[in-house]
Amino acid sequence: MTSATTDRARTEAAGGDAWAGFAAGPWQDAIDVRDFLLRNYTPYEGDASFLAGPTEKTVRVWDHLERTYLAEERRRRVYDVDTTTPADIDAFGAGYISEDDDVIVGLQTDVPLKRAMMPAGGWRMVETAIREAGKEPDARIREIFTKHRKTHNDGVFDIYTPRIRAARSSHIITGLPDAYGRGRIIGDYRRLALYGADALLAEKEAAKDAVVDQGFSEHWARYREEHSEQIKALRKLVRLGEIYGLDLRRPAATAQEAVQWTYMAYLASVKSQDGAAMSIGRLSGFLDVYLERDLAAGVLTESAAQEIIDALVIKLRIVRFLRTVDYDQIFSGDPYWATWSDAGFAEDGRPLVTKTSFRLLQTLRNLGPAPEPNITVFWDPSLPSGYKEFCSAISIETSSIQYESDAQIRERWGDDAAIACCVSPMRVGKQMQFFGARVNAGKALLYALNGGRDEVTGKQVTEPGLHTPITGEGPLDFDEVWQRYEEMLDWVVGTYVEALNIIHYSHDRYAYEAIEMALHDSEIVRTMGCGIAGLSIVADSLSAIRYATVTPVRDETGLIVDYLTEGDFPRYGNDDDRADDIAATIVHTVMQKIAQIPMYRDAIPTQSVLTITSNVVYGKATGSFPSGHRAGTPFSPGANPANGADTHGMVASMLSVGKLDYHDALDGISLTNTITPQGLGRTKDEQVTNLVGILDAGFLIDDE
């Protein structure tokens, strides 16, 4: 018997009746969810008329959750904290929302909204968060994680250089994940439902021992150690299932089990890691296979199918992490980005829209609007019209959907990619990102003008004598400023990437994401997710220096603290190449400098132009600019034009952002637009049609 035949016999035996009715294929020979999906899903090109409203049980569970827990949490910010139990996959007993909470079970702790501490990332942040929640830290736990157990944060600061510490404290490098979970790792949570934990354990054990006869190397040792941690995590996942009376060792046999198993795999991740973004991946097509099979067999009704999806979304809406007030201020709330990616096209040309794509959007009607899960539609003008119109209608009603370019993502990352966080795409189960916050590109320009002195504090942040400030009383010269800016970017980017390499080296050692990586292939692609903030302000300021007259204003020490700008100049965001080309050049220049630096674990460097909320915090730490942007005021989000600078409308701003080269920002480019429904038309039908037209036009621009 051949090895492939043996593998198929083993997996078929494991699947048993759970796979009855599914089309056979290579997915039975090895773990390959994408192959299973493409052979078994049913594209849906109809409209939303088949959908069901919330069941009585859904209403009772949601109302009880709202009255008993969510309302109280809003009143006091944090509902409750467990201060005695370090979080882990199987650390807590079973917990339920109410006696009706039996459709999809499982909570992070034993009580809804009770937060668990995750001290492996760093004790200081945990202790601060506990006190801010009105609780006292447990002395025994503090002793363990300050004396006996080294944390990720401890490891990072043991290695940090004085240069990194100076850049971090001055906020020229912002939001580094050096005291909390890095996130942006999407486990392929579907694997548990399709194969069961026993098959996943067997695959990981075989992969670990496949390298047993190799000579010693750091890679060999790390590979085997990490696989051992993954195996332990999978066994804890089995125990988590047992806590709730579920046998996760076998594949899911029904649609309800497929959703439950998938959620259990995800729950294990959010029980053990507090990543900055804990995306759930690309589930609709996969879950739809099971739902449609049960519907066809007559063992499920549409109302029951919707109830299952509603129950899953309820659980995603109540995931909570223990975080500090400062952390919440950075992100303007308490998000964790359970991004659920949907739609788009398969590489064979079929739309990946299913009835469950509609069911997911229907939760925003059945349960009301919410930021979690972060529903992300991979848009293409060729998507089925019924789905596009439903997306448009739900967007108008709830403002709870974000859109990405399917063509761009599919071309670079394939048709089974998903978004981690907001705009960062990756192949599910085959790739992960070393998340790295971002460089304050605006502050870097001000440092270039001041020779490395901070424009807010006056402190010399770069090494004395390394950078020469602009002197003289006359107007600034563009060529001189650009040269100084490039030199400063060498220092900033070099410091930034050095910090990222340290952070991820330490994270792998002290806060490894074992369960998430257990739901990946054994050999994966790693990217280093770098980013910049303040793009529009730098572009406008350089445009002002080139096309207007900008004279520095200095304080008594010679520090440039303001600018006198005379004359008009083009601003980024108005489809004017003079300013837009400067923005594109900045993005390209930063990416070139990043790409020249060796990355930890040979990660592929990528860049994002992304700030959704943290731009407010970045602005507070930054001075005034030649563009007229005032000290301490918020940056515009992502790749948006500066606040108030886009005077030619939404299409012009789309055209400007479209000039940024995606290859310079493979980690994603964010454009945030606000449209009032009344601005789209007088009637609901007009509004829906016009929003579809805007999205179609925007993503046609993006694809050119």
Side-chain angles (χ1 to χ4, degrees):
M1 182 179 289
T2 66
S3 175
T5 304
T6 303
D7 288 343
R8 172 168 291 212
R10 184 185 302 115
T11 51
E12 284 181 344
D17 292 340
W19 292 350
F22 293 153
W27 63 270
Q28 295 172 296
D29 301 332
I31 293 172
D32 190 343
V33 178
R34 175 182 178 271
D35 180 69
F36 166 81
L37 172 63
L38 294 182
R39 291 177 185 276
N40 287 281
Y41 90 101
T42 303
Y44 179 68
E45 302 200 15
D47 60 22
S49 58
F50 73 94
L51 289 166
T55 64
E56 291 183 4
K57 176 179 285 190
T58 297
V59 171
R60 286 197 303 270
V61 170
W62 187 243
D63 285 350
H64 177 77
L65 183 63
E66 169 62 34
R67 291 194 312 270
T68 309
Y69 298 104
L70 291 169
E72 184 64 19
E73 181 185 58
R74 286 193 292 271
R75 188 182 69 82
R76 60 193 191 199
R77 180 178 167 267
V78 173
Y79 178 80
D80 196 7
V81 180
D82 186 300
T83 62
T84 62
T85 310
D88 204 351
I89 294 168
D90 57 352
F92 293 92
Y96 301 89
I97 297 171
S98 68
E99 62 183 13
D100 286 319
D101 182 20
D102 59 1
V103 178
I104 300 298
V105 300
L107 299 176
Q108 278 177 291
T109 58
D110 56 344
V111 175
L113 306 184
K114 181 193 285 186
R115 306 182 189 221
M117 56 180 171
M118 298 187 183
W123 176 254
R124 179 183 55 81
M125 180 173 282
V126 168
E127 183 165 3
T128 300
I130 289 172
R131 293 188 188 281
E132 289 175 345
K135 301 270 188 176
E136 281 298 314
D138 185 284
R140 179 179 58 91
I141 303 299
R142 181 197 291 117
E143 180 178 357
I144 291 171
F145 286 94
T146 57
K147 293 184 179 180
H148 308 301
R149 167 60 156 88
K150 190 169 185 176
T151 68
H152 159 57
N153 186 243
D154 292 334
V156 167
F157 277 85
D158 280 351
I159 306 172
Y160 267 176
T161 63
R163 182 175 66 169
I164 295 173
R165 288 172 181 260
R168 182 183 185 276
S169 63
S170 71
H171 306 290
I172 195 167
I173 299 175
T174 53
L176 292 171
D178 51 17
Y180 57 91
R182 55 190 168 192
R184 295 206 187 172
I185 300 174
I186 309 173
D188 190 354
Y189 305 111
R190 308 166 299 183
R191 294 184 180 191
L192 183 67
L194 184 57
Y195 296 105
D198 279 353
L200 301 181
L201 279 162
E203 189 273 339
K204 287 297 180 182
E205 287 166 347
K208 175 186 175 183
D209 289 338
V211 297
V212 69
D213 294 327
Q214 294 185 9
F216 182 86
S217 68
E218 184 177 351
H219 173 77
W220 176 87
R222 191 208 312 258
Y223 180 93
R224 287 186 56 78
E225 182 181 29
E226 289 183 348
H227 274 70
S228 293
E229 292 300 311
Q230 294 172 24
I231 290 165
K232 292 174 188 175
L234 286 169
R235 289 173 178 157
K236 290 180 181 180
L237 175 56
V238 171
R239 290 197 290 274
L240 173 62
E242 292 169 350
I243 290 170
Y244 286 94
L246 307 171
D247 182 8
L248 302 181
R249 296 173 298 174
R250 61 172 178 81
T254 66
Q256 185 276 335
E257 286 189 351
V259 176
Q260 179 70 75
W261 268 228
T262 301
Y263 171 64
M264 277 287 149
Y266 181 72
L267 181 62
S269 294
V270 296
K271 277 175 168 284
S272 56
Q273 285 289 332
D274 65 342
M278 298 293 288
S279 299
I280 199 167
R282 196 163 184 164
L283 304 183
S284 294
F286 175 78
L287 297 178
D288 193 77
V289 174
Y290 289 85
L291 289 164
E292 291 302 306
R293 183 181 67 170
D294 284 7
L295 284 161
V299 298
L300 196 68
T301 65
E302 180 55 42
S303 181
Q306 186 66 53
E307 182 180 70
I308 291 170
I309 299 301
D310 287 346
L312 173 59
V313 167
I314 286 173
K315 292 302 171 69
L316 298 180
R317 289 189 179 189
I318 61 173
V319 169
R320 297 291 187 270
F321 292 111
L322 179 63
R323 288 168 175 166
T324 64
V325 170
D326 284 347
Y327 184 100
D328 287 353
Q329 287 177 347
I330 290 175
F331 297 108
S332 296
D334 194 13
Y336 74 104
W337 283 288
T339 304
W340 184 324
S341 303
D342 206 352
F345 279 86
E347 291 176 1
D348 61 15
R350 292 180 295 162
L352 286 165
V353 174
T354 64
K355 283 189 173 181
T356 301
S357 302
F358 282 78
R359 294 178 185 118
L360 173 63
L361 298 181
Q362 180 73 353
T363 66
L364 294 168
R365 283 180 170 167
N366 288 355
L367 304 174
E372 304 287 2
N374 180 22
I375 298 173
T376 299
V377 171
F378 287 7
W379 189 272
D380 187 285
S382 299
L383 286 173
S385 59
Y387 179 69
K388 293 199 299 181
E389 290 168 2
F390 192 54
C391 285
S392 176
I394 295 296
S395 284
I396 291 168
E397 292 172 22
T398 70
S399 299
S400 297
I401 308 174
Q402 75 170 19
Y403 297 93
E404 306 273 352
S405 169
D406 179 62
Q408 293 278 21
I409 292 169
R410 180 165 26 90
E411 178 185 9
R412 184 63 177 80
W413 309 106
D415 60 5
D416 196 36
I419 298 296
C421 191
C422 302
V423 297
S424 305
M426 60 188 67
R427 297 176 188 266
V428 179
K430 299 180 180 300
Q431 182 180 338
M432 61 87 71
Q433 181 189 101
F434 293 138
F435 163 62
R438 48 200 54 87
V439 162
N440 188 332
K443 202 171 184 71
L445 176 63
L446 304 184
Y447 273 35
L449 299 175
N450 279 310
R453 286 181 69 194
D454 189 274
E455 75 287 353
V456 176
T457 66
K459 292 180 180 178
Q460 182 68 43
V461 176
T462 68
E463 293 83 346
L466 183 62
H467 297 99
T468 304
I470 298 279
T471 57
E473 299 302 322
L476 296 172
D477 175 75
F478 177 85
D479 290 335
E480 182 184 14
V481 170
W482 179 258
Q483 179 183 345
R484 300 290 179 88
Y485 188 45
E486 276 219 66
E487 291 171 356
M488 184 57 64
L489 285 175
D490 286 334
W491 185 91
V492 173
V493 169
T495 305
Y496 176 45
V497 174
E498 184 178 60
L500 296 185
N501 285 335
I502 290 168
I503 288 166
H504 295 295
Y505 165 84
S506 295
H507 207 292
D508 277 349
R509 292 193 69 188
Y510 303 112
Y512 179 65
E513 300 92 339
I515 190 61
E516 291 169 88
M517 300 313 299
L519 299 169
H520 279 70
D521 291 352
S522 289
E523 293 287 357
I524 62 167
V525 172
R526 294 176 176 86
T527 61
M528 184 70 80
C530 305
I532 59 173
L535 172 65
S536 61
I537 298 171
V538 181
D540 287 353
S541 293
L542 289 171
S543 178
I545 294 168
R546 170 172 274 180
Y547 296 107
T549 301
V550 177
T551 305
V553 177
R554 305 175 187 275
D555 68 9
E556 63 278 4
T557 70
L559 183 73
I560 300 173
V561 294
D562 207 348
Y563 303 87
L564 176 62
T565 300
E566 299 174 289
D568 295 329
F569 57 93
R571 290 180 179 268
Y572 164 73
N574 295 294
D575 191 25
D576 188 322
D577 286 346
R578 293 175 298 168
D580 296 346
D581 287 351
I582 292 174
T585 300
I586 294 165
V587 175
H588 179 70
T589 300
V590 173
M591 186 63 234
Q592 278 192 320
K593 294 181 183 301
I594 291 170
Q596 293 171 2
I597 304 171
M599 301 286 160
Y600 171 65
R601 295 187 82 165
D602 297 321
I604 299 169
T606 61
Q607 180 178 211
S608 67
V609 187
L610 165 69
T611 48
I612 300 300
T613 55
S614 48
N615 44 292
V616 176
V617 176
Y618 301 161
K620 286 182 179 179
T622 308
S624 295
F625 286 86
S627 65
H629 184 90
R630 304 312 301 164
T633 58
F635 291 177
S636 59
N640 275 52
N643 299 323
D646 49 335
T647 58
H648 287 58
M650 181 174 170
V651 173
S653 70
M654 286 180 167
L655 288 164
S656 291
V657 174
K659 295 171 190 176
L660 305 179
D661 191 337
Y662 180 56
H663 294 91
D664 289 329
L666 287 172
D667 195 39
I669 301 169
S670 168
L671 172 63
T672 305
N673 277 308
T674 301
I675 311 172
T676 61
Q678 294 76 16
L680 290 167
R682 291 169 296 178
T683 67
K684 181 67 177 290
D685 287 345
E686 283 183 0
Q687 293 168 4
V688 168
T689 299
N690 288 336
L691 181 55
V692 168
I694 289 172
L695 289 167
D696 282 348
F699 286 111
L700 275 174
I701 293 167
D702 194 38
D703 294 342
E704 290 180 351

